[in-house]
Amino acid sequence: MSASNESKGESTGKQPKILIPEIKLQARVAELALEIANDYQDREITAVCVLKGSFVFFTDIIRRLNLPLTTEFLGVSSYGNKMVSSGEVKVTLDINEPLENKHVLVFEDIVDTGLTLSYITNLLRTRKPASLRTCALLMKPESLKTQVEPDYLGFKIGNEFVVGYGIDHAGKHRGLPYVGYIEHDH
Ligand code: IMP
């Protein structure tokens, strides 16, 4: 097997099936960027990338955002290697810059139970930003366990476990250019 096939996950057994193709992702990311730039006008934002799963979405969207911005990275871990949310959120990398009086916009890959995004917004609110909004690429409305509504949302999806476009399963498949789904083992 070639190195490139291996990096796309063929070595891990099941190959993910396409749920949202690359072209649709890119079109929606461009729409979201326009919507956000329109809402913020020329206000400077602090764009927060929630690691690790949002890094591809984040780098795509900030390059399309016609706004003055600074970037920050917040590492959180909630799933470990499992396919269901543990509900426990651990900060693995904190933001060291003060957020006071900043317009903070958090970019998250996927809202499943909503516990992670809710934890993050509660955490960042304590830092007294001038405003705090959230943008999620994907959301599974049927899985929500807490009242969370991203201010900007790419796509609503069903309960399938998804990978690709930065999103992983046990660290794999992040490099896929599309959002795919893999079947549960059990
Ligand atoms: P929540 O706290 O249950 O909303 O989960 C949010 C986090 O769980 C996301 O940031 C992802 O890292 C991870 N996650 C949720 N659903 C999936 C999925 O279908 N595939 C991979 N990771 C997921």
Side-chain angles (χ1 to χ4, degrees), residues 53 78-79 85 89 108-117 140 160-163 167-169:
S78 55
Y79 270 34
S85 181
V89 183
E108 171 71 311
D109 54 352
I110 177 163
V111 177
D112 183 9
T113 62
L115 295 170
T116 305
L117 196 58
K140 301 179 186 174
E160 55 273 57
F161 191 85
V162 294
V163 293
I167 302 167
D168 76 312
H169 175 228

mmCIF file of all heavy atoms in Angstrom, residues 53 78-79 85 89 108-117 140 160-163 167-169, ligand 1:
data_model
loop_
_atom_site.group_PDB
_atom_site.id
_atom_site.type_symbol
_atom_site.label_atom_id
_atom_site.label_comp_id
_atom_site.label_asym_id
_atom_site.label_seq_id
_atom_site.Cartn_x
_atom_site.Cartn_y
_atom_site.Cartn_z
ATOM 1 N N GLY A 53 -10.236 18.822 16.377
ATOM 2 C CA GLY A 53 -11.102 18.536 15.233
ATOM 3 C C GLY A 53 -11.424 19.698 14.309
ATOM 4 O O GLY A 53 -11.796 19.483 13.159
ATOM 5 N N SER A 78 -12.746 15.310 24.741
ATOM 6 C CA SER A 78 -13.941 14.784 25.414
ATOM 7 C C SER A 78 -14.236 13.331 25.073
ATOM 8 O O SER A 78 -14.954 12.669 25.788
ATOM 9 C CB SER A 78 -15.173 15.635 25.077
ATOM 10 O OG SER A 78 -15.333 15.728 23.693
ATOM 11 N N TYR A 79 -13.690 12.823 23.974
ATOM 12 C CA TYR A 79 -14.069 11.486 23.525
ATOM 13 C C TYR A 79 -13.034 10.410 23.833
ATOM 14 O O TYR A 79 -13.376 9.245 23.867
ATOM 15 C CB TYR A 79 -14.307 11.487 21.998
ATOM 16 C CG TYR A 79 -15.727 11.802 21.599
ATOM 17 C CD1 TYR A 79 -16.478 12.690 22.341
ATOM 18 C CD2 TYR A 79 -16.300 11.211 20.491
ATOM 19 C CE1 TYR A 79 -17.759 12.994 21.984
ATOM 20 C CE2 TYR A 79 -17.600 11.508 20.123
ATOM 21 C CZ TYR A 79 -18.325 12.408 20.872
ATOM 22 O OH TYR A 79 -19.597 12.702 20.514
ATOM 23 N N SER A 85 -19.716 10.327 23.464
ATOM 24 C CA SER A 85 -19.165 11.373 24.316
ATOM 25 C C SER A 85 -19.111 10.900 25.763
ATOM 26 O O SER A 85 -20.060 10.319 26.276
ATOM 27 C CB SER A 85 -20.034 12.623 24.215
ATOM 28 O OG SER A 85 -19.497 13.630 25.024
ATOM 29 N N VAL A 89 -15.145 17.003 29.906
ATOM 30 C CA VAL A 89 -14.340 17.830 29.027
ATOM 31 C C VAL A 89 -13.064 18.228 29.743
ATOM 32 O O VAL A 89 -13.105 18.671 30.888
ATOM 33 C CB VAL A 89 -15.122 19.096 28.598
ATOM 34 C CG1 VAL A 89 -14.313 19.932 27.626
ATOM 35 C CG2 VAL A 89 -16.458 18.708 27.978
ATOM 36 N N GLU A 108 -16.003 25.375 16.139
ATOM 37 C CA GLU A 108 -16.048 23.985 16.624
ATOM 38 C C GLU A 108 -16.368 23.081 15.431
ATOM 39 O O GLU A 108 -17.134 23.466 14.545
ATOM 40 C CB GLU A 108 -17.135 23.907 17.725
ATOM 41 C CG GLU A 108 -17.513 22.546 18.214
ATOM 42 C CD GLU A 108 -16.446 21.868 19.056
ATOM 43 O OE1 GLU A 108 -15.285 21.842 18.628
ATOM 44 O OE2 GLU A 108 -16.792 21.329 20.120
ATOM 45 N N ASP A 109 -15.797 21.893 15.430
ATOM 46 C CA ASP A 109 -16.052 20.986 14.303
ATOM 47 C C ASP A 109 -17.471 20.429 14.320
ATOM 48 O O ASP A 109 -18.191 20.472 13.338
ATOM 49 C CB ASP A 109 -15.022 19.839 14.277
ATOM 50 C CG ASP A 109 -14.934 19.074 15.599
ATOM 51 O OD1 ASP A 109 -15.546 19.497 16.606
ATOM 52 O OD2 ASP A 109 -14.243 18.039 15.628
ATOM 53 N N ILE A 110 -17.870 19.923 15.491
ATOM 54 C CA ILE A 110 -19.156 19.225 15.531
ATOM 55 C C ILE A 110 -19.786 19.298 16.916
ATOM 56 O O ILE A 110 -19.097 19.145 17.924
ATOM 57 C CB ILE A 110 -18.981 17.758 15.036
ATOM 58 C CG1 ILE A 110 -20.280 16.976 15.135
ATOM 59 C CG2 ILE A 110 -17.878 17.034 15.732
ATOM 60 C CD1 ILE A 110 -20.269 15.720 14.300
ATOM 61 N N VAL A 111 -21.073 19.569 16.931
ATOM 62 C CA VAL A 111 -21.828 19.573 18.180
ATOM 63 C C VAL A 111 -22.652 18.289 18.216
ATOM 64 O O VAL A 111 -23.497 18.069 17.348
ATOM 65 C CB VAL A 111 -22.762 20.801 18.271
ATOM 66 C CG1 VAL A 111 -23.593 20.752 19.543
ATOM 67 C CG2 VAL A 111 -21.958 22.091 18.202
ATOM 68 N N ASP A 112 -22.369 17.463 19.200
ATOM 69 C CA ASP A 112 -23.055 16.174 19.324
ATOM 70 C C ASP A 112 -24.003 16.256 20.524
ATOM 71 O O ASP A 112 -25.157 16.622 20.388
ATOM 72 C CB ASP A 112 -21.985 15.094 19.478
ATOM 73 C CG ASP A 112 -22.549 13.688 19.546
ATOM 74 O OD1 ASP A 112 -23.748 13.518 19.315
ATOM 75 O OD2 ASP A 112 -21.789 12.749 19.837
ATOM 76 N N THR A 113 -23.519 15.983 21.728
ATOM 77 C CA THR A 113 -24.367 16.182 22.915
ATOM 78 C C THR A 113 -24.482 17.669 23.252
ATOM 79 O O THR A 113 -25.400 18.085 23.950
ATOM 80 C CB THR A 113 -23.779 15.462 24.148
ATOM 81 O OG1 THR A 113 -22.500 16.032 24.432
ATOM 82 C CG2 THR A 113 -23.642 13.972 23.920
ATOM 83 N N GLY A 114 -23.506 18.454 22.796
ATOM 84 C CA GLY A 114 -23.492 19.887 23.103
ATOM 85 C C GLY A 114 -22.710 20.200 24.368
ATOM 86 O O GLY A 114 -22.487 21.366 24.696
ATOM 87 N N LEU A 115 -22.269 19.155 25.074
ATOM 88 C CA LEU A 115 -21.590 19.374 26.356
ATOM 89 C C LEU A 115 -20.261 20.122 26.181
ATOM 90 O O LEU A 115 -19.918 20.976 26.992
ATOM 91 C CB LEU A 115 -21.358 18.032 27.068
ATOM 92 C CG LEU A 115 -22.635 17.301 27.490
ATOM 93 C CD1 LEU A 115 -22.332 15.880 27.961
ATOM 94 C CD2 LEU A 115 -23.356 18.074 28.590
ATOM 95 N N THR A 116 -19.546 19.806 25.111
ATOM 96 C CA THR A 116 -18.244 20.452 24.899
ATOM 97 C C THR A 116 -18.421 21.945 24.624
ATOM 98 O O THR A 116 -17.764 22.782 25.238
ATOM 99 C CB THR A 116 -17.487 19.784 23.729
ATOM 100 O OG1 THR A 116 -17.395 18.382 23.996
ATOM 101 C CG2 THR A 116 -16.098 20.355 23.554
ATOM 102 N N LEU A 117 -19.316 22.266 23.688
ATOM 103 C CA LEU A 117 -19.502 23.678 23.341
ATOM 104 C C LEU A 117 -20.040 24.467 24.529
ATOM 105 O O LEU A 117 -19.644 25.606 24.761
ATOM 106 C CB LEU A 117 -20.432 23.810 22.126
ATOM 107 C CG LEU A 117 -20.387 25.175 21.440
ATOM 108 C CD1 LEU A 117 -18.971 25.514 20.973
ATOM 109 C CD2 LEU A 117 -21.346 25.237 20.264
ATOM 110 N N LYS A 140 -25.479 17.488 15.393
ATOM 111 C CA LYS A 140 -26.394 16.333 15.409
ATOM 112 C C LYS A 140 -27.545 16.682 16.353
ATOM 113 O O LYS A 140 -27.472 16.374 17.551
ATOM 114 C CB LYS A 140 -25.674 15.095 15.949
ATOM 115 C CG LYS A 140 -24.440 14.673 15.166
ATOM 116 C CD LYS A 140 -23.809 13.448 15.836
ATOM 117 C CE LYS A 140 -22.508 13.063 15.196
ATOM 118 N NZ LYS A 140 -21.805 11.977 15.912
ATOM 119 N N GLU A 160 -25.090 9.626 12.707
ATOM 120 C CA GLU A 160 -23.932 8.849 12.283
ATOM 121 C C GLU A 160 -22.612 9.399 12.824
ATOM 122 O O GLU A 160 -22.488 10.603 13.035
ATOM 123 C CB GLU A 160 -23.858 8.710 10.748
ATOM 124 C CG GLU A 160 -23.862 9.995 9.950
ATOM 125 C CD GLU A 160 -25.270 10.511 9.632
ATOM 126 O OE1 GLU A 160 -26.043 10.720 10.589
ATOM 127 O OE2 GLU A 160 -25.566 10.705 8.464
ATOM 128 N N PHE A 161 -21.661 8.517 13.071
ATOM 129 C CA PHE A 161 -20.336 8.928 13.535
ATOM 130 C C PHE A 161 -19.532 9.361 12.312
ATOM 131 O O PHE A 161 -19.335 8.581 11.394
ATOM 132 C CB PHE A 161 -19.632 7.782 14.259
ATOM 133 C CG PHE A 161 -18.398 8.233 14.975
ATOM 134 C CD1 PHE A 161 -18.485 8.755 16.260
ATOM 135 C CD2 PHE A 161 -17.154 8.168 14.366
ATOM 136 C CE1 PHE A 161 -17.348 9.198 16.929
ATOM 137 C CE2 PHE A 161 -16.012 8.614 15.025
ATOM 138 C CZ PHE A 161 -16.117 9.125 16.309
ATOM 139 N N VAL A 162 -19.095 10.608 12.298
ATOM 140 C CA VAL A 162 -18.439 11.134 11.107
ATOM 141 C C VAL A 162 -16.942 11.349 11.316
ATOM 142 O O VAL A 162 -16.472 11.502 12.450
ATOM 143 C CB VAL A 162 -19.103 12.449 10.626
ATOM 144 C CG1 VAL A 162 -20.523 12.201 10.150
ATOM 145 C CG2 VAL A 162 -19.077 13.513 11.721
ATOM 146 N N VAL A 163 -16.236 11.354 10.205
ATOM 147 C CA VAL A 163 -14.782 11.580 10.212
ATOM 148 C C VAL A 163 -14.429 12.413 8.979
ATOM 149 O O VAL A 163 -15.239 12.592 8.082
ATOM 150 C CB VAL A 163 -13.986 10.247 10.141
ATOM 151 C CG1 VAL A 163 -14.165 9.422 11.400
ATOM 152 C CG2 VAL A 163 -14.360 9.438 8.908
ATOM 153 N N ILE A 167 -11.850 15.907 11.335
ATOM 154 C CA ILE A 167 -12.511 15.123 12.394
ATOM 155 C C ILE A 167 -11.980 13.689 12.361
ATOM 156 O O ILE A 167 -11.824 13.106 11.293
ATOM 157 C CB ILE A 167 -14.046 15.144 12.178
ATOM 158 C CG1 ILE A 167 -14.541 16.597 12.185
ATOM 159 C CG2 ILE A 167 -14.766 14.311 13.225
ATOM 160 C CD1 ILE A 167 -15.960 16.772 11.687
ATOM 161 N N ASP A 168 -11.747 13.144 13.549
ATOM 162 C CA ASP A 168 -11.082 11.836 13.603
ATOM 163 C C ASP A 168 -11.932 10.755 14.253
ATOM 164 O O ASP A 168 -12.947 11.014 14.900
ATOM 165 C CB ASP A 168 -9.799 11.952 14.437
ATOM 166 C CG ASP A 168 -10.104 12.016 15.941
ATOM 167 O OD1 ASP A 168 -10.991 12.805 16.329
ATOM 168 O OD2 ASP A 168 -9.484 11.269 16.711
ATOM 169 N N HIS A 169 -11.471 9.535 14.061
ATOM 170 C CA HIS A 169 -11.858 8.439 14.933
ATOM 171 C C HIS A 169 -10.563 7.828 15.426
ATOM 172 O O HIS A 169 -9.760 7.335 14.620
ATOM 173 C CB HIS A 169 -12.710 7.391 14.195
ATOM 174 C CG HIS A 169 -13.001 6.192 15.054
ATOM 175 N ND1 HIS A 169 -12.842 4.902 14.616
ATOM 176 C CD2 HIS A 169 -13.402 6.109 16.352
ATOM 177 C CE1 HIS A 169 -13.156 4.078 15.602
ATOM 178 N NE2 HIS A 169 -13.493 4.785 16.659
HETATM 179 P P1 IMP B 1 -20.172 16.842 22.362
HETATM 180 O O1 IMP B 1 -19.570 17.354 23.627
HETATM 181 O O2 IMP B 1 -20.887 15.539 22.587
HETATM 182 O O3 IMP B 1 -21.054 17.861 21.667
HETATM 183 O O4 IMP B 1 -19.013 16.465 21.394
HETATM 184 C C1 IMP B 1 -18.254 17.396 20.770
HETATM 185 C C2 IMP B 1 -16.929 16.821 20.352
HETATM 186 O O5 IMP B 1 -16.985 15.398 20.215
HETATM 187 C C3 IMP B 1 -16.563 17.337 18.990
HETATM 188 O O6 IMP B 1 -15.783 18.484 19.091
HETATM 189 C C4 IMP B 1 -15.799 16.198 18.375
HETATM 190 O O7 IMP B 1 -14.437 16.309 18.695
HETATM 191 C C5 IMP B 1 -16.372 14.968 19.042
HETATM 192 N N1 IMP B 1 -17.371 14.329 18.173
HETATM 193 C C6 IMP B 1 -18.719 14.417 18.251
HETATM 194 N N2 IMP B 1 -19.311 13.696 17.291
HETATM 195 C C7 IMP B 1 -18.318 13.143 16.580
HETATM 196 C C8 IMP B 1 -18.286 12.305 15.417
HETATM 197 O O8 IMP B 1 -19.314 11.922 14.820
HETATM 198 N N3 IMP B 1 -17.061 11.959 14.977
HETATM 199 C C9 IMP B 1 -15.897 12.362 15.572
HETATM 200 N N4 IMP B 1 -15.887 13.144 16.643
HETATM 201 C C10 IMP B 1 -17.081 13.541 17.137
#
